[in-house]
Amino acid sequence: MKIETIYVIENNKFGKTIGEWAEDKRIQVVATSHRSGDLSELVDGVVLFHENHNFSKEDDETQEDLSRDNKAVHKVDLNGTLAATNSNFNMWLDRNRPKTLLILGDDEVAKNPNLPLFLQGIEG
């Protein structure tokens, strides 16, 4: 994995969880309040974490906006089969080779017991 920078939404438990994981992987973390527009020039892709396709309206709109700007998008369902979810995400990383990512998810996703297990399975 060659991710250099991860953008997370500030004042969000999920963003703090991702930030802690990224720092352990020596990936720069940038907290932002921006959800689109300016981010399109900063990120190569967006990853939307969710549970059973329950997205916050803001997260869904953000990933749709970035998708329209031809940014790579990947959705991670933490309630899916963990091995398959990890494999799909790692293949997406290999195929798209993003250097900068916006990672989205709400506070409920931060509480999901599969989140730390998923993060451990990301190839580095």
Side-chain angles (χ1 to χ4, degrees):
M1 178 173 56
K2 303 291 188 217
I3 297 171
E4 297 172 1
T5 306
I6 290 177
Y7 288 83
V8 295
I9 302 301
E10 62 189 1
N11 301 323
N12 173 312
K13 288 180 186 176
F14 177 79
K16 290 177 185 173
T17 301
I18 294 298
E20 290 168 4
W21 167 82
E23 288 173 358
D24 285 344
K25 294 277 192 177
R26 293 192 168 97
I27 299 171
Q28 179 184 8
V29 178
V30 178
T32 182
S33 59
H34 300 283
R35 288 200 163 262
S36 58
D38 296 336
L39 285 176
S40 182
E41 296 177 16
L42 299 174
V43 300
D44 299 323
V46 59
V47 180
L48 177 56
F49 282 77
H50 62 92
E51 297 173 310
N52 302 321
H53 298 277
N54 291 327
F55 312 108
S56 75
K57 181 180 177 184
E58 293 169 323
D59 287 351
D60 198 33
E61 288 174 352
T62 298
Q63 70 87 25
E64 286 178 8
D65 288 345
L66 291 170
S67 177
R68 279 193 290 274
D69 288 339
N70 294 318
K71 301 300 174 185
V73 174
H74 189 75
K75 296 178 182 176
V76 174
D77 184 354
L78 289 174
N79 288 340
T81 305
L82 202 54
T85 302
N86 266 109
S87 178
N88 287 338
F89 183 65
N90 285 314
M91 285 190 298
W92 180 82
L93 287 173
D94 285 344
R95 186 174 51 252
N96 291 287
R97 301 189 187 282
K99 299 272 187 219
T100 57
L101 282 177
L102 171 64
I103 299 184
L104 300 170
D106 62 27
D107 288 342
E108 290 303 311
V109 172
K111 299 175 191 174
N112 189 307
N114 286 334
L115 180 59
L117 299 171
F118 175 83
L119 294 174
Q120 287 174 2
I122 295 175
E123 295 174 4

